[in-house]
Amino acid sequence: AVVSTQSTGASLYEARKDYTKAATHLSVIPLENSQRNYSKEYTTEMYLRIAHLFLQGCGPAQAELFLNRASLQMGPGTPPQLTVQYNLCYAKALDFRKKFMEAAKRYLELSLEPLLSSTKQTELLRNAVLCAIIAPAGLQRSRILASLCKDERSQNFLFSAMLNNTQLGHLITHDQVSLFEKELEEHQLEKLPNEMSILEAAVMEHNVLAISHIYMSIRLENLAYLLRVSRPQAEKVVGKMITEQRISGYIDQIDGVVFFESVSKPWDEHIDVVCNKVNNVIDVLLHHEPAFTKERLEAYKC
């Protein structure tokens, strides 16, 4: 009776697009601690529906709670459709948490999922492009942008010119930014502590990276002019990118000049690739054997 009542109420709220209330209605159902033994498949399906509704209602924190509960119910016998649904919700949760690089990778993988319709695949590819462009500039971003540009479907988007310019390392123009900005969701337009939007910060970092491929050195005032920001702001951004090893170079603060270095780091890139593959393996293990994997990670203090 409880399940029927709450499900009916949730469906009514969902029809009115009040997704948070719909999710809250379903979340009170005692799926695990009740006299009735629900199957793992049904429990997982319900948890994923709740997570999906919370994501639609812009409640990523609550969604993650139910995603974690769903993952504990999943295993080798989980139907493929539920696994796909979990991955869809997880990608969206990463997007909401502003982990745009990880979200872009997940979206791109899902855009090739045969269990999804071609319309859904295109939507996911679009999400991958949006997240990749607003992700922090650097090697990992360059790799995923290259993969997106190779996908012929990406050229059908209105903002394909910005995608191509970003991947080629060209300077991004104000007109391209204005067109692209209209495609972003509300959480992707939020302001950062420095009062810049996520998109503005991403474009500025990208343009710094592009400039580093054009100039061997540049005066800070000239860099600031190209970036359309103040000199202190330009210096701060370049300094941060150098510190994070996303560009190579140094700042001569006495003369006010930035020197860029073209350094090939094949060994570092190899380590980066290996680390990414290890992380992917851990993600798979967490998905299929969450309890065992968490226990081993804690044992190794990871």
Side-chain angles (χ1 to χ4, degrees), residues 20-69:
T20 301
K21 281 189 177 180
T24 304
H25 245 63
L26 290 176
S27 65
V28 302
I29 299 173
L31 293 169
E32 294 182 66
N33 302 315
S34 67
Q35 293 181 345
R36 184 173 177 180
N37 292 322
Y38 297 105
S39 68
K40 283 195 172 185
E41 183 178 334
Y42 178 79
T43 303
T44 302
E45 186 178 354
M46 287 297 289
Y47 282 150
L48 291 177
R49 185 184 173 194
I50 295 168
H52 176 67
L53 287 168
F54 271 127
L55 288 170
Q56 284 186 295
C58 298
Q62 299 98 316
E64 283 197 67
L65 174 65
F66 287 94
L67 276 176
N68 290 335
R69 291 182 184 179

Side-chain angles (χ1 to χ4, degrees), residues 244-258:
E244 294 174 352
Q245 297 184 337
R246 287 190 282 146
I247 58 172
S248 297
Y250 62 93
I251 301 173
D252 184 333
Q253 293 180 318
I254 296 176
D255 292 334
V257 178
V258 181

Side-chain angles (χ1 to χ4, degrees), residues 280-295:
N280 290 337
V281 171
I282 292 173
D283 284 343
V284 171
L285 288 172
L286 280 169
H287 173 65
H288 292 292
E289 297 290 343
F292 171 79
T293 307
K294 287 175 183 176
E295 179 185 337

Side-chain angles (χ1 to χ4, degrees), residues 87-128:
N87 290 334
L88 286 168
C89 288
Y90 188 63
K92 192 66 178 179
L94 289 171
D95 190 345
F96 267 111
R97 285 165 58 193
K98 300 178 180 63
K99 293 192 173 184
F100 297 120
M101 184 61 63
E102 293 90 336
K105 290 177 183 177
R106 298 274 180 167
Y107 282 138
L108 179 57
E109 290 170 4
L110 286 164
S111 76
L112 302 171
E113 174 56 59
L115 290 176
L116 298 172
S117 67
S118 59
T119 302
K120 187 65 178 179
Q121 290 176 341
T122 302
E123 177 191 332
L124 290 164
L125 183 67
R126 175 183 173 277
N127 291 346

Side-chain angles (χ1 to χ4, degrees), residues 31-299:
L31 293 169
E32 294 182 66
N33 302 315
S34 67
Q35 293 181 345
R36 184 173 177 180
N37 292 322
Y38 297 105
S39 68
K40 283 195 172 185
E41 183 178 334
Y42 178 79
T43 303
T44 302
E45 186 178 354
M46 287 297 289
Y47 282 150
L48 291 177
R49 185 184 173 194
I50 295 168
H52 176 67
L53 287 168
F54 271 127
L55 288 170
Q56 284 186 295
C58 298
Q62 299 98 316
E64 283 197 67
L65 174 65
F66 287 94
L67 276 176
N68 290 335
R69 291 182 184 179
S71 69
L72 295 174
Q73 300 292 320
M74 298 172 76
T78 301
Q81 294 87 345
L82 288 183
T83 302
V84 171
Q85 185 60 40
Y86 173 85
N87 290 334
L88 286 168
C89 288
Y90 188 63
K92 192 66 178 179
L94 289 171
D95 190 345
F96 267 111
R97 285 165 58 193
K98 300 178 180 63
K99 293 192 173 184
F100 297 120
M101 184 61 63
E102 293 90 336
K105 290 177 183 177
R106 298 274 180 167
Y107 282 138
L108 179 57
E109 290 170 4
L110 286 164
S111 76
L112 302 171
E113 174 56 59
L115 290 176
L116 298 172
S117 67
S118 59
T119 302
K120 187 65 178 179
Q121 290 176 341
T122 302
E123 177 191 332
L124 290 164
L125 183 67
R126 175 183 173 277
N127 291 346
V129 174
L130 295 178
C131 286
I133 289 177
I134 61 177
L139 180 62
Q140 288 189 356
R141 177 174 176 260
S142 298
R143 285 176 180 157
I144 195 164
L145 285 170
S147 297
L148 288 166
C149 282
K150 288 176 184 176
D151 194 318
E152 293 180 358
R153 298 172 298 168
S154 297
Q155 303 307 315
N156 295 324
F157 299 131
L158 291 174
F159 45 84
S160 61
M162 183 160 175
L163 170 63
N164 294 329
N165 274 9
T166 306
Q167 194 273 326
L168 293 170
H170 296 169
L171 289 172
I172 297 174
T173 67
H174 179 71
D175 289 342
Q176 288 174 342
V177 172
S178 298
L179 180 65
F180 181 78
E181 191 173 26
K182 296 174 184 176
E183 303 291 327
L184 296 176
E185 295 183 31
E186 188 175 343
H187 69 277
Q188 296 169 332
L189 292 167
E190 291 178 6
K191 295 284 186 181
L192 298 172
N194 60 6
E195 291 304 312
M196 295 184 73
S197 72
I198 293 171
L199 176 59
E200 288 170 341
V203 169
M204 183 163 65
E205 287 187 355
H206 167 82
N207 283 341
V208 168
L209 192 61
I211 290 167
S212 74
H213 294 151
I214 300 170
Y215 297 93
M216 293 182 65
S217 64
I218 186 172
R219 298 193 67 82
L220 281 169
E221 54 263 34
N222 294 336
L223 177 63
Y225 174 78
L226 290 173
L227 297 176
R228 297 188 176 186
V229 296
S230 65
R231 172 176 161 160
Q233 200 169 12
E235 183 176 357
K236 185 176 181 180
V237 170
V238 174
K240 179 173 179 286
M241 292 181 72
I242 291 173
T243 301
E244 294 174 352
Q245 297 184 337
R246 287 190 282 146
I247 58 172
S248 297
Y250 62 93
I251 301 173
D252 184 333
Q253 293 180 318
I254 296 176
D255 292 334
V257 178
V258 181
F259 291 90
F260 298 111
E261 298 173 349
S262 178
V263 181
S264 177
K265 298 182 178 180
W267 181 244
D268 287 351
E269 290 181 14
H270 179 67
I271 292 174
D272 185 53
V273 170
V274 172
C275 288
N276 284 332
K277 288 185 177 179
V278 171
N279 286 334
N280 290 337
V281 171
I282 292 173
D283 284 343
V284 171
L285 288 172
L286 280 169
H287 173 65
H288 292 292
E289 297 290 343
F292 171 79
T293 307
K294 287 175 183 176
E295 179 185 337
R296 300 318 302 161
L297 289 173
E298 288 175 4

